[in-house]
Amino acid sequence: MIVKTDKDLQGILEAGKIAAEVMHKMASRIRPGITTGQLDRIGEEAMKRYGARSAPQVSYSFPGATCISVLPEVAHGIPGSRQIKAGQMVNIDVSVELNGYFADTGMSIPVEIEDPKVHRLCEICLEARDAAIEAAKPGRRINEIGRAVEGVAKSYGMTMIKNLCGHGLGRKLHEAPECILNYYSRQERGRLSSGHVIALEPFISEGPETVENCGYDEWALVVPPGFYVAQFEHTVIVAEDGNILATLLP
């Protein structure tokens, strides 16, 4: 959507704050032994306290309040009885709906991983996300976002997951632009407008450039075992005088 009124602006900001709060509560509870289902319930209860609803459930009847993916799952993991273990990379994706407005955020968390290259991968992904946010300017081509992400990834010898992308949102969880690529494509000719609400979420990879369906349900997307992938996401309102990060906690 394109924010045109103060009501729209406040609607996105309020939904974004709740998404960020829920993410913070869930991330703070991750530890070996907790199940992905227990973690999901923490998120669901927090949403209810804030008067919000799970956007994946509202939009797609997703079988969980949040998406919790444990590598080799990269995205859309279904919460359940699986226990999180030390040495795993866990991704939490929180999307909420509040009073008809949507916000989306996500992060990858290394659980008691000592390997510095994994933490470095997360730092690179954060740098790529921030470069994407910086590249999102009114009037600028959308493919400049992908150019920025690709530039950061390649400068460190990393790759991008090319069949996962950012997207527009606002009054729905997914709106135009439907796919904001995390690599440069000349075919993408769309431009951003002031007030555009977009979710920017680079997936930075040690090697694989695509994800595939896991084969054991219709949702989870995976890479081959043995590789690390990180993702960080913000809901961004594109603005002339500086972008607004709706899912950034104070």
Side-chain angles (χ1 to χ4, degrees):
M1 70 175 287
I2 296 177
V3 169
K4 295 182 178 179
T5 66
D6 286 341
K7 179 183 177 182
D8 286 343
L9 176 61
Q10 291 306 310
I12 296 297
L13 292 178
E14 289 171 8
K17 181 180 179 181
I18 290 172
E21 291 279 6
V22 172
M23 172 68 71
H24 176 73
K25 290 180 184 298
M26 294 176 68
S28 69
R29 297 289 295 275
I30 286 185
R31 57 183 53 85
I34 193 170
T35 69
T36 56
Q38 289 171 328
L39 197 60
D40 186 62
R41 284 192 290 277
I42 291 168
E44 184 174 26
E45 290 169 2
M47 288 182 203
K48 289 179 179 178
R49 285 196 297 272
Y50 291 120
R53 298 189 295 171
S54 162
Q57 288 181 341
V58 169
S59 303
Y60 305 116
S61 299
F62 183 75
T66 64
C67 299
I68 305 175
S69 306
V70 181
L71 277 176
E73 293 178 350
V74 174
H76 305 165
I78 298 174
S81 60
R82 176 172 45 185
Q83 283 191 334
I84 293 172
K85 300 176 182 179
Q88 292 179 323
M89 179 81 93
V90 179
N91 180 270
I92 303 174
D93 194 323
V94 175
S95 308
V96 306
E97 179 273 333
L98 179 73
N99 300 324
Y101 293 95
F102 290 76
D104 193 358
T105 188
M107 67 183 300
S108 292
I109 302 170
V111 180
E112 296 187 5
I113 296 177
E114 297 182 0
D115 190 341
K117 74 174 185 180
V118 177
H119 294 274
R120 185 60 175 148
L121 176 66
C122 290
E123 291 172 359
I124 293 167
C125 189
L126 281 167
E127 184 177 334
R129 184 202 62 188
D130 292 347
I133 294 168
E134 179 63 27
K137 302 291 186 184
R140 184 174 288 183
R141 289 194 184 277
I142 294 171
N143 61 13
E144 292 300 325
I145 295 172
R147 190 199 296 272
V149 171
E150 185 173 15
V152 171
K154 288 188 172 181
S155 73
Y156 293 103
M158 300 294 177
T159 60
M160 305 73 58
I161 299 296
K162 292 186 174 181
N163 59 339
L164 290 173
C165 56
H167 54 91
L169 73 166
R171 282 297 195 170
K172 297 179 181 178
L173 181 54
H174 289 90
E175 296 184 6
E178 293 288 345
C179 187
I180 300 174
L181 298 173
N182 287 314
Y183 61 95
Y184 180 73
S185 170
R186 291 182 179 178
Q187 281 68 49
E188 174 54 81
R189 298 185 178 276
R191 293 184 183 272
L192 293 169
S193 300
S194 181
H196 243 132
V197 184
I198 54 178
L200 299 179
E201 50 176 325
F203 291 79
I204 303 301
S205 166
E206 288 186 313
E209 294 188 351
T210 59
V211 291
E212 297 180 357
N213 179 262
C214 61
Y216 46 79
D217 64 51
E218 64 179 307
W219 293 99
L221 299 170
V222 301
V223 292
F227 293 98
Y228 283 97
V229 177
Q231 178 254 21
F232 289 89
E233 177 181 18
H234 268 318
T235 293
V236 179
I237 304 172
V238 179
E240 296 284 355
D241 54 354
N243 291 341
I244 301 168
L245 306 185
T247 46
L248 180 67
L249 284 176

